[in-house]
Amino acid sequence: MAAATLSPAQAMSSETGSAARIPRHLAVIMDGNGRWAQRRRRPRVIGHRAGARAVNVCVDFCLAKGIEVLTLFAFSSENWGRPEDEVGALMKLFMGALEREVDELDRRGVRVRFIGERERFSDAIVARMDAAEAQTAGNAKLHLVIAASYGGRWDIARAARLLAQDVADGKLRPEEIDEQVLGGRITLSDLPAPDLFIRTGGEKRISNFLLWQLAYTELWFTDLLWPELDAATLQRAIDDYSGRERRFGLTGAQLAAPDETPE
Ligand code: IPE
Ligand code: IPE
Ligand code: MG
């Protein structure tokens, strides 16, 4: 059963026992590239280029710590609305990264997956994404999920459409639809839900990232801009996370004695 569909008590017990409280799944909004460049009086695209390097810092950290899943928000549904030259530059960078990085990720045992509205990308990029997924499909050291052309609302709407199709085809009755059935059609339902969310760049918002999947994720924000990311910052986030009590709607007393019947 996917961890995303665990009951609160099941999710809690799998959490509380974990040694040193390393998150299994880390979800990151990589924000602040544009401001990093603007502060240096450089075009925004220079910030995106520097941001691509910071991705490697994050991947290295996850591999070193044994984090199982890393989901990176690379490009949102709304980012398509940015000026044409910035979108074009981001597409070029994306294509370049796919050409350059996949062999090395494969060699290091990283499985790459993309979530988002893939159809909006050019055929050349889609072909590269498909090839990267196929090449790395057998890897299990780290599951690297790139959210590109992704929106949490798109994800939920897509899941609803898939269920509606099942109903139309006579495979599902409307009264059978519950959180578990809908959750099973949301992206990443085969992976544990994110334990820790990190956003760089100082903004305190979700910006249409994993809306469904973040229901009980611990949130951590830093003013540091994405290109400035280093292992020490990621370690601070992990340390903060490991000191938190995740209650999943239950009481602190229930967490302390999970086998006792609540009063
Ligand atoms: C995040 O950095 C990268 C993308 C959204 C593609 P931004 O480009 O949003 O940088 P800021 O927030 O404007 O500094
Ligand atoms: C969120 O950053 C999307 C990505 C990092 C890919 P944005 O810069 O697009 O978010 P807002 O506009 O500040 O909410
Ligand atoms: Mg931004």
Side-chain angles (χ1 to χ4, degrees), residues 106 110-112 131-140 143:
D106 186 25
V110 178
R111 179 174 178 183
V112 184
E133 288 182 337
Q135 181 179 339
T136 63
N139 295 340
H143 208 123

Side-chain angles (χ1 to χ4, degrees), residues 41-86:
R41 302 188 187 287
R42 306 295 305 278
R44 292 175 58 86
V45 61
I46 300 293
H48 294 311
R49 215 170 283 160
R53 284 196 298 273
V55 170
N56 292 326
V57 171
C58 201
V59 169
D60 291 349
F61 182 85
C62 290
L63 282 167
K65 294 286 166 188
I67 290 168
E68 294 168 46
V69 187
L70 171 63
T71 300
L72 297 174
F73 202 7
F75 192 81
S76 73
S77 308
E78 290 73 28
N79 290 151
W80 286 111
R82 290 194 179 190
E84 215 177 308
D85 60 339
E86 181 165 342

Side-chain angles (χ1 to χ4, degrees), residues 13 38 48 75 89 92 112 126 135 158 169 171 208 221:
S13 61
Q38 280 162 344
H48 294 311
F75 192 81
K92 267 199 195 128
V112 184
V126 172
Q135 181 179 339
R158 174 180 161 279
D169 294 345
K171 293 186 212 151
N208 200 16
F221 299 91

Side-chain angles (χ1 to χ4, degrees), residues 163-256:
L163 293 183
Q165 191 59 56
D166 282 351
V167 171
D169 294 345
K171 293 186 212 151
L172 184 72
R173 284 178 290 122
E175 55 273 26
E176 288 172 328
I177 298 174
D178 58 13
E179 288 180 27
Q180 197 149 333
V181 170
L182 178 58
R185 295 308 189 100
I186 301 277
T187 60
L188 310 183
S189 63
D190 56 324
L191 297 171
D195 299 296
L196 175 62
F197 159 104
I198 295 177
R199 181 172 189 151
T200 62
E203 313 296 354
K204 311 282 187 300
R205 52 180 175 252
I206 304 292
S207 297
N208 200 16
F209 194 25
L210 307 162
L211 298 179
W212 178 279
Q213 299 88 335
L214 292 175
Y216 270 103
T217 302
E218 296 296 324
L219 308 181
W220 194 84
F221 299 91
T222 173
D223 288 337
L224 214 76
L225 303 174
W226 177 253
E228 300 167 337
L229 183 83
D230 56 11
T233 302
L234 291 169
Q235 188 58 51
R236 274 196 288 127
I238 304 289
D239 291 345
D240 188 336
Y241 166 82
S242 65
R244 295 189 191 184
E245 183 180 63
R246 303 183 73 185
R247 286 192 293 278
F248 299 96
L250 306 185
T251 67
Q254 285 176 296
L255 290 171

